[in-house]
Amino acid sequence: MQAEDARYLKRKVKGGSIDVHPTEKALVVNYELEATILGELGDPMLGERKECQKIIRVKSLNPNSDLGALAKEIIDKCKLIHPSKLPEVEQLLYYLQNRKESAPSKASGKTEIHETPEMPTYDATEIDEVANINDLDDYLELLYEDVAEKIRGSALLLQLSRNPDNLEELFQNETVVSALARVLRDDWKKSSELATNIIYIFFCFSSFTQFHGVILHFKIGALCNKKVKEEFEKSARKFEGLVRKQEQLLRVAYYLLLNLAEDLKVEMKMKNKSLIKMLVKTLERDNFELLILVVSFLKKLSIFIENKNEMAEMNIIEKLTKLVPCDHEDLLNITLRLLLNLTFDTDMRGKMIKFGLLPKLVGLLNNENHKLIVLCILYHISMDDKSKSMFTYTDCIPIVMKMLLESPENPDIELLSLCINLAGNKRTAQIICEGQGLKMLMKRAFKFKDPLMMKMIRNVSEHDGPTKNLFIDYISDLAEATLHSEDEDFALECLGVFGNLTIPDLDYELILKEYQLIPWIKRKLQPGSAEDDWVLQVIILVGTVCNDDISAKMLAESGIIQSLIELLNAKQEDDEMVCQIVYVFYQMIFHESTREVIIKDTQAPAYLIDLMHDKNAEIRKVCDNTLDIIAEFDEEWAKKIQLEKFRWHNSQWLEMVESRQMEELTDPYMYPEEGYDAYLQDADMLDRPDFFYPDGYDPSLVMDGHLTPEYIDENGIYGYSNEYEPYARPDSNMGFVNGHGMDDYGSQIDDYGQPVDEYGRPIMLDEYEHYPQDYQLDQNEYDYGYR
């Protein structure tokens, strides 16, 4: 900024606190002075803010003074004190009035207003005497005395330095500045107060640029650095001592609470007093003994869901992450046990993945002290499908495979459980099969007849892709074990693997013949001949074999379809079994050789129609797909399927119509006695669709005497086929289009000459009259109502 650009100076004063002078009968008014230089256009160009003081001496104050009047006089004369502070000024004057007089001191001879840079205060600067610039040589001599006198001399010099008016004179006295630098360099270790006073003096000099050269010349910055480092180390040691004492107190207190927590009621009270919050907060400490106690306490509390939820809110997983791993074995072990308790919660398992605990846990698998607990934690994490893929980014699969293959005859159940879960993911299954993985697993499984290891292999066989083709080499072993193994659990798992092998190039016909599977399958499918688990896997095997056209034909001709239908009747409450049986029908419908057998020679389509509205979504889906294929190839079943779909979509409407007809048939008082027989006669005509409809019209479209559209789509819109014109068609408002003409009586008729109402619905005629007297059309309904 150029000097000519500055045009105006703006000053702003802000009042502050009021205090008494330490030695004199005076009030010290603190205020803030803000000076801003404005440019020609009034915009701020440069600003500075200072903390200042004004001393108001009240020498006339004596024991008989009127404090109220004196306080008012002070406020009137000093604009820095707001009138609202009148009571405060009176209180300070009262203090001065009753304070004992100190020894008289020399006046400084300076103005009462002292303006100083903003700086911190320190108790060592407060002494009982007031410094005078004229006594500078006396203060200098004190710097050559003992430490106590040096402290006094530095404090008096500091008083002078805090007044900016004195800084120039002090600066000109090179002896004073040199002596202060020497004392700071030589004696700063002897007294913290002495070092603080001297550094404070140089701080006052540093507020003005013209004094920086002197400060640099005496290397005050380096001395300050050294002092700061020393003080920091000293304070750190003191802090560490306090922390150790505090942690000892916390440990004793927590131990006491842990002992009392044996009573659940007392534990609940502790929980209500925010104990969990304090314990989780304490996890940020580094004291191993304290942490062991805290984690043990949290482990005890974590078995209750309310406590577990509160721990989750406190982000306990994030705080425990730093403890896994750690150098203290006991702390690591109890931390893992706490994590195991928390892994029963799905969200907690997700947070373990989020905060990177998975690779840390995998790294602990080689530690025998913690291996079992880690396996349990990893097993829980592997239960979530989203988490299984995360194992591929760690060394978990090679480690557990090595552990599994090198274990004795009976591996740890926790290890096998983890492997079974991991095999359920396609990517992890591929890693399991890499190299000789599958071969080694099959060899070990057949050697020890281990059903759990075969379950793991069965999970691997579920995935499409290259891994499934690896099982072709083991078809013979699987078939032999399925048919002849004495261990039923092992044989069942082998059958499960066999049923998963949906491989296009596999010769199922040869397998069926070579191992004589068809008679064995028929025996297993007989109701009551085998456990449900066996029956289900046999059905899955049949569905797999039916991928092949020739094999499907062999099974169909053997009468297995009828066995499946009987089983469907017997196990209709078992959704999984029903779904698999329906899938077998779906597979057989695809092949031309078995399609005719299913449609013409069995009642499978009828059962599928019954199941098309099953409560299970998967069953409905497979039924719909199968029925769509049947309807495409058989016109008669197509109409039945279409009719059933209509009934389902309009079940409430049909139920209302049928119930109304039943009420009318059973209540003769609704009709004249002489007309009741005629009514029954007319009602009987409802079973004769040819009485109402023209030749060539399909009677299957008539239900209970009412014309029905061929189907209703999923949006509730009526439709019809192209083979004949609809009797009545819907308009855009879901009503019926009016008749197409008038008869000789002036009534509306349709294209076939039948009388209809204004909505296009048919009106029944009795033998003698054009309109029936015993029956009135209820035009407020879309269905037909007879009274």
Side-chain angles (χ1 to χ4, degrees):
M1 180 187 71
Q2 297 182 358
E4 59 268 27
D5 293 335
R7 293 292 184 267
Y8 309 101
L9 177 63
K10 180 181 179 181
R11 299 181 65 195
K12 183 178 180 181
V13 179
K14 183 179 179 181
S17 62
I18 309 172
D19 204 347
V20 295
H21 195 279
T23 58
E24 299 183 22
K25 286 184 178 182
L27 298 178
V28 179
V29 181
N30 298 293
Y31 66 97
E32 181 180 274
L33 176 62
E34 181 178 4
T36 305
I37 298 176
L38 304 178
E40 186 175 0
L41 300 178
D43 53 320
M45 301 180 66
L46 184 64
E48 186 176 3
R49 179 182 298 176
K50 293 183 179 180
E51 293 288 339
C52 305
Q53 291 180 339
K54 180 175 182 178
I55 299 177
I56 303 175
R57 291 181 173 84
V58 285
K59 296 181 179 179
S60 61
L61 182 64
N62 57 66
N64 300 320
S65 298
D66 185 354
L67 299 182
L70 182 59
K72 188 176 186 305
E73 181 183 357
I74 292 173
I75 292 176
D76 292 338
K77 291 182 178 180
C78 182
K79 302 301 181 184
L80 297 174
I81 305 176
H82 194 271
S84 63
K85 294 190 176 182
L86 179 61
E88 183 180 352
V89 174
E90 288 185 23
Q91 183 65 31
L92 294 174
L93 291 174
Y94 177 81
Y95 173 81
L96 289 174
Q97 188 182 46
N98 294 277
R99 187 176 65 176
K100 293 182 178 180
E101 293 291 339
S102 60
S105 60
K106 299 179 181 179
S108 64
K110 293 295 178 180
T111 179
E112 295 177 352
I113 301 178
H114 302 278
E115 297 182 2
T116 59
E118 181 181 359
M119 57 184 110
T121 59
Y122 187 72
D123 292 342
T125 65
E126 302 295 340
I127 58 176
D128 292 337
E129 53 184 305
V130 179
N132 192 318
I133 192 66
N134 299 320
D135 299 327
L136 187 59
D137 293 338
D138 296 338
Y139 306 151
L140 178 60
E141 292 178 2
L142 294 174
L143 297 179
Y144 294 93
E145 303 296 335
D146 57 15
V147 175
E149 292 300 313
K150 288 179 181 178
I151 293 174
R152 176 170 170 261
S154 63
L156 291 167
L157 289 171
L158 177 57
Q159 278 192 33
L160 297 176
S161 301
R162 293 176 69 176
N163 186 345
D165 297 338
N166 298 328
L167 288 177
E168 186 67 31
E169 188 171 346
L170 289 171
F171 179 74
Q172 296 298 331
N173 194 325
E174 295 183 2
T175 307
V176 173
V177 177
S178 176
L180 288 171
R182 177 185 58 77
V183 172
L184 178 63
R185 183 174 59 252
D186 296 341
D187 300 329
W188 67 271
K189 292 184 178 180
K190 297 179 180 178
S191 171
S192 178
E193 292 180 358
L194 176 61
T196 302
N197 285 343
I198 297 175
I199 292 174
Y200 211 150
I201 293 170
F202 282 107
F203 165 76
C204 294
F205 280 105
S206 69
S207 301
F208 300 93
T209 307
Q210 60 266 35
F211 303 133
H212 287 184
V214 177
I215 298 173
L216 294 173
H217 172 74
F218 289 105
K219 300 181 179 179
I220 302 301
L223 291 174
C224 289
N225 250 351
K226 192 174 182 181
K227 176 63 177 175
V228 168
K229 181 180 179 182
E230 180 74 15
E231 284 298 318
F232 174 79
E233 292 175 353
K234 181 179 178 181
S235 299
R237 288 193 297 270
K238 184 177 181 181
F239 174 76
E240 289 173 359
L242 292 174
V243 169
R244 282 195 298 270
K245 292 180 180 178
Q246 186 187 57
E247 288 176 347
Q248 184 178 2
L249 172 62
L250 287 173
R251 184 165 176 264
V252 174
Y254 283 147
Y255 224 135
L256 170 64
L257 294 174
L258 180 59
N259 290 339
L260 295 177
E262 292 181 359
D263 188 335
L264 289 181
K265 293 182 179 179
V266 175
E267 182 178 303
M268 181 60 68
K269 291 181 180 180
M270 295 179 186
K271 189 260 185 189
N272 295 335
K273 294 291 185 180
S274 303
L275 174 65
I276 294 175
K277 183 178 180 180
M278 291 187 288
L279 289 170
V280 175
K281 186 68 176 177
T282 310
L283 289 174
E284 299 173 1
R285 301 295 182 109
D286 296 323
N287 186 295
F288 286 133
E289 293 180 349
L290 177 62
L291 288 174
I292 290 174
L293 178 61
V294 169
V295 176
S296 300
F297 209 155
L298 288 170
K299 173 181 169 293
K300 180 180 186 301
L301 296 169
S302 65
I303 63 176
F304 295 98
I305 188 170
E306 297 86 358
N307 298 340
K308 181 264 299 178
N309 291 339
E310 186 174 350
M311 293 178 193
E313 294 174 1
M314 296 293 297
N315 295 321
I316 188 172
I317 298 298
E318 184 177 5
K319 291 179 170 60
L320 291 175
T321 302
K322 72 169 186 175
L323 302 179
V324 181
C326 65
D327 297 332
H328 201 287
E329 288 292 305
D330 292 337
L331 175 59
L332 178 57
N333 186 269
I334 195 63
T335 301
L336 292 174
R337 291 180 182 277
L338 171 58
L339 287 172
L340 178 59
N341 282 2
L342 298 177
T343 53
F344 285 92
D345 182 89
T346 305
D347 293 335
M348 292 285 200
R349 298 197 294 265
K351 288 182 179 179
M352 291 181 188
I353 298 292
K354 177 181 177 181
F355 293 115
L357 260 178
L358 183 59
K360 293 183 177 183
L361 292 168
V362 171
L364 294 172
L365 283 173
N366 294 320
N367 189 323
E368 289 295 328
N369 295 330
H370 312 298
K371 180 180 72 174
L372 194 60
I373 302 175
V374 172
L375 284 172
C376 292
I377 297 174
L378 294 177
Y379 165 70
H380 284 175
I381 294 176
S382 67
M383 292 168 60
D384 305 322
D385 291 335
K386 292 183 179 180
S387 300
K388 289 176 184 175
S389 59
M390 300 303 296
F391 283 84
T392 60
Y393 300 101
T394 70
D395 297 328
C396 181
I397 299 173
I399 293 175
V400 297
M401 283 290 290
K402 184 175 183 296
M403 293 168 61
L404 185 62
L405 296 175
E406 293 180 356
S407 60
E409 180 178 351
N410 297 315
D412 293 331
I413 187 67
E414 295 82 5
L415 175 61
L416 277 170
S417 301
L418 173 60
C419 292
I420 290 171
N421 280 357
L422 292 178
N425 178 269
K426 184 175 182 179
R427 178 60 187 137
T428 54
Q430 291 174 348
I431 298 176
I432 289 172
C433 295
E434 285 180 355
Q436 300 294 317
L438 181 61
K439 180 179 180 181
M440 299 295 291
L441 287 175
M442 293 293 287
K443 181 178 180 181
R444 183 182 177 88
F446 280 102
K447 178 181 178 180
F448 296 110
K449 297 294 187 291
D450 190 341
L452 290 179
M453 186 166 291
M454 187 56 68
K455 183 182 287 290
M456 173 186 173
I457 296 171
R458 175 179 167 184
N459 282 356
V460 173
S461 69
E462 291 180 351
H463 308 295
D464 295 328
T467 55
K468 188 162 289 191
N469 294 327
L470 298 176
F471 286 89
I472 293 178
D473 297 336
Y474 305 102
I475 294 293
S476 178
D477 295 329
L478 292 169
E480 286 292 338
T482 300
L483 298 175
H484 306 297
S485 177
E486 295 180 358
D487 189 330
E488 289 193 0
D489 292 336
F490 181 75
L492 179 61
E493 297 300 333
C494 291
L495 175 60
V497 177
F498 208 175
N500 288 334
L501 302 185
T502 52
I503 304 174
D505 299 331
L506 193 60
D507 191 346
Y508 296 102
E509 178 188 6
L510 178 62
I511 295 173
L512 289 176
K513 292 180 178 178
E514 182 174 351
Y515 299 102
Q516 298 180 359
L517 287 177
I518 293 181
W520 180 83
I521 290 174
K522 289 190 66 177
R523 288 197 305 272
K524 291 292 184 182
L525 291 181
Q526 295 298 320
S529 63
E531 297 291 335
D532 286 353
D533 291 343
W534 273 91
V535 175
L536 178 62
Q537 294 305 319
V538 170
I539 296 171
I540 293 174
L541 176 62
V542 172
T544 301
V545 172
C546 284
N547 279 312
D548 178 64
D549 181 55
I550 298 177
S551 300
K553 183 178 181 181
M554 292 171 59
L555 290 169
E557 292 176 348
S558 68
I560 281 182
I561 297 176
Q562 186 58 37
S563 298
L564 291 174
I565 292 176
E566 294 175 2
L567 196 59
L568 191 62
N569 281 328
K571 301 293 183 181
Q572 54 185 309
E573 299 300 326
D574 190 332
D575 285 357
E576 188 173 6
M577 194 171 295
V578 170
C579 189
Q580 293 298 337
I581 293 173
V582 174
Y583 178 73
V584 172
F585 295 156
Y586 174 75
Q587 290 285 72
M588 288 188 170
I589 288 296
F590 266 110
H591 305 298
E592 184 178 356
S593 59
T594 55
R595 187 182 304 129
E596 292 297 321
V597 177
I598 289 283
I599 296 175
K600 302 296 184 182
D601 300 339
T602 71
Q603 289 298 312
Y607 282 92
L608 291 172
I609 289 175
D610 289 341
L611 291 169
M612 65 189 297
H613 308 305
D614 192 88
K615 61 183 179 180
N616 187 292
E618 289 298 322
I619 294 177
R620 294 198 305 270
K621 181 179 178 181
V622 180
C623 279
D624 286 342
N625 293 335
T626 309
L627 290 172
D628 287 344
I629 299 175
I630 292 175
E632 184 178 349
F633 290 96
D634 189 279
E635 183 177 352
E636 182 178 352
W637 277 113
K639 293 178 181 179
K640 294 179 180 179
I641 294 168
Q642 207 167 52
L643 182 61
E644 177 57 29
K645 288 183 177 181
F646 171 81
R647 286 181 180 273
W648 176 256
H649 283 293
N650 299 274
S651 58
Q652 291 183 346
W653 173 63
L654 294 173
E655 182 180 354
M656 181 179 63
V657 173
E658 292 172 356
S659 63
R660 183 173 297 178
Q661 289 181 354
M662 292 300 297
E663 291 175 359
E664 294 170 351
L665 287 172
T666 57
D667 190 356
Y669 296 101
M670 295 180 64
Y671 312 98
E673 294 182 1
E674 64 276 12
Y676 184 65
D677 291 338
Y679 170 78
L680 293 178
Q681 180 181 358
D682 287 339
D684 183 58
M685 291 190 298
L686 296 177
D687 296 328
R688 298 179 55 194
D690 55 338
F691 184 84
F692 293 100
Y693 303 105
D695 295 335
Y697 199 85
D698 191 349
S700 68
L701 297 180
V702 179
M703 297 188 309
D704 302 329
H706 300 288
L707 179 68
T708 61
E710 187 172 328
Y711 70 93
I712 293 181
D713 63 20
E714 61 183 5
N715 296 317
I717 305 301
Y718 287 85
Y720 46 87
S721 93
N722 295 325
E723 297 179 3
Y724 35 75
E725 288 293 328
Y727 188 73
R729 56 187 177 87
D731 61 10
S732 60
N733 295 320
M734 292 301 294
F736 287 88
V737 174
N738 293 338
H740 298 284
M742 296 286 186
D743 63 4
D744 295 339
Y745 297 92
S747 300
Q748 295 187 40
I749 58 175
D750 61 8
D751 291 341
Y752 301 103
Q754 297 293 335
V756 294
D757 64 4
E758 60 179 305
Y759 296 95
R761 298 179 296 191
I763 301 176
M764 292 195 309
L765 305 178
D766 62 19
E767 186 175 359
Y768 303 106
E769 296 179 342
H770 187 66
Y771 290 106
Q773 297 177 352
D774 294 336
Y775 318 107
Q776 298 297 326
L777 186 63
D778 182 2
Q779 296 184 358
N780 292 324
E781 302 288 344
Y782 283 112
D783 59 334
Y784 309 118
Y786 299 99
R787 299 175 181 171

